[in-house]
Amino acid sequence: MDFAFLTQTMTTLLKAVPMTLALFSVSIVSGGILALLIVWMRVGGNPLLAAIAKGYIFIFRGSPLLIQMFLVFYGLGQFGFIRYSFLWTFLREPFVCAVLSLALCTAGYTAEIFRGGIRAVSPREIEAARSIGMSGALLVRRILAPIAFRHALPAYSTEIVLMMKSTALASLVTVWEVTGVAQRLISQTYRTMEIFLCAAIIYLVLNFIILQAMSLLEYSLSRHRRAIPPALKA
């Protein structure tokens, strides 16, 4: 191992971390908002909207993310109404295409995770809220959403980690994030082991930070479930 080369490689790859974080954060936020809309369509009671939501989830959970990304990056430009509209100003950018692909994909998984969290809410808690006169919006804000999110958080944290790792696919549509820069360095130096080792360390650190943050969030949202100290019981 050439530690001088490892240090230089790590420095170069760290410069690409902001691009990776930008891909990750924008995709997670956009996908989360879209997932809430899909969940509303799925559980809202309208059969047509529910069927559309089920179809969306089936398509984006059942097909590989890489193919979805290629279809967005290479395929959308073939439609004249997109290529000659204001949308092409954005969709011709690799970053936008990568974010769109990641967001659409994670929305399908996240919607099912959130739906599972909603179904885990006890009907008795909803009935109790309605019995004291809570409106629908107030019930969702104070009862349904907090409890459902708490139940969904463990599975959602896994999806977030998977999305961080999925940002590596953006290198295949010419977005120069950590993996893309690593591949470019390999083509210049032919030192695959050292470069990918540095890239793996960066992803491990980023995912460790994400998991710690999600654990802290889960801990803060579950105060009522913590064991009561013996001294307080006495």
Side-chain angles (χ1 to χ4, degrees):
M1 286 289 182
D2 186 346
F3 290 101
F5 177 75
L6 286 175
T7 302
Q8 182 181 0
T9 299
M10 184 64 75
T11 302
T12 303
L13 293 180
L14 285 174
K15 294 178 181 178
V17 169
M19 177 60 73
T20 296
L21 293 178
L23 280 169
F24 168 76
S25 57
V26 177
S27 301
I28 285 294
V29 172
S30 304
I33 295 172
L34 181 57
L36 292 176
L37 175 61
I38 296 170
V39 170
W40 173 78
M41 294 169 61
R42 184 78 188 272
V43 302
N46 187 306
L48 177 60
L49 294 179
I52 295 173
K54 289 180 182 178
Y56 179 96
I57 292 169
F58 173 76
I59 291 172
F60 284 95
R61 291 177 70 196
S63 57
L65 174 58
L66 180 59
I67 293 178
Q68 297 170 22
M69 192 171 292
F70 281 161
L71 287 174
V72 171
F73 185 69
Y74 295 108
L76 292 181
Q78 297 181 14
F79 296 99
F81 68 91
I82 292 179
R83 191 173 184 86
Y84 299 107
S85 70
F86 73 96
L87 294 174
W88 187 242
T89 305
F90 304 98
L91 293 177
R92 67 183 179 184
E93 297 295 332
F95 178 84
V96 175
C97 291
V99 165
L100 181 60
S101 304
L102 292 168
L104 291 173
C105 183
T106 191
Y109 289 92
T110 304
E112 281 296 277
I113 293 171
F114 287 170
R115 188 176 70 90
I118 292 173
R119 296 188 64 180
V121 178
S122 172
R124 291 178 296 178
E125 297 185 52
I126 298 176
E127 292 174 3
R130 286 175 175 169
S131 68
I132 62 174
M134 277 193 182
S135 64
L138 188 61
L139 188 150
V140 170
R141 183 166 62 88
R142 291 192 174 181
I143 305 296
L144 189 60
I147 297 175
F149 183 71
R150 189 162 57 240
H151 283 295
L153 194 56
Y156 186 50
S157 63
T158 301
E159 172 61 17
I160 289 179
V161 170
L162 290 174
M163 283 303 298
M164 171 57 75
K165 294 189 290 185
S166 296
T167 58
L169 295 176
S171 62
L172 299 177
V173 293
T174 68
V175 178
W176 299 115
E177 41 72 61
V178 171
T179 303
V181 173
Q183 291 174 339
R184 187 165 58 182
L185 288 175
I186 290 171
S187 67
Q188 296 171 354
T189 63
Y190 301 101
R191 303 179 73 165
T192 304
M193 182 67 180
E194 295 97 324
I195 295 173
F196 274 149
L197 177 63
C198 291
I201 291 172
I202 290 174
Y203 283 112
L204 284 172
V205 171
L206 291 176
N207 283 326
F208 175 78
I209 295 172
I210 291 171
L211 288 174
Q212 291 300 110
M214 298 302 290
S215 296
L216 289 174
L217 179 59
E218 185 176 358
Y219 181 80
S220 65
L221 293 177
S222 305
R223 296 177 182 176
H224 62 289
R225 294 185 176 181
R226 299 173 196 168
I228 301 176
L232 294 180
K233 290 182 179 179

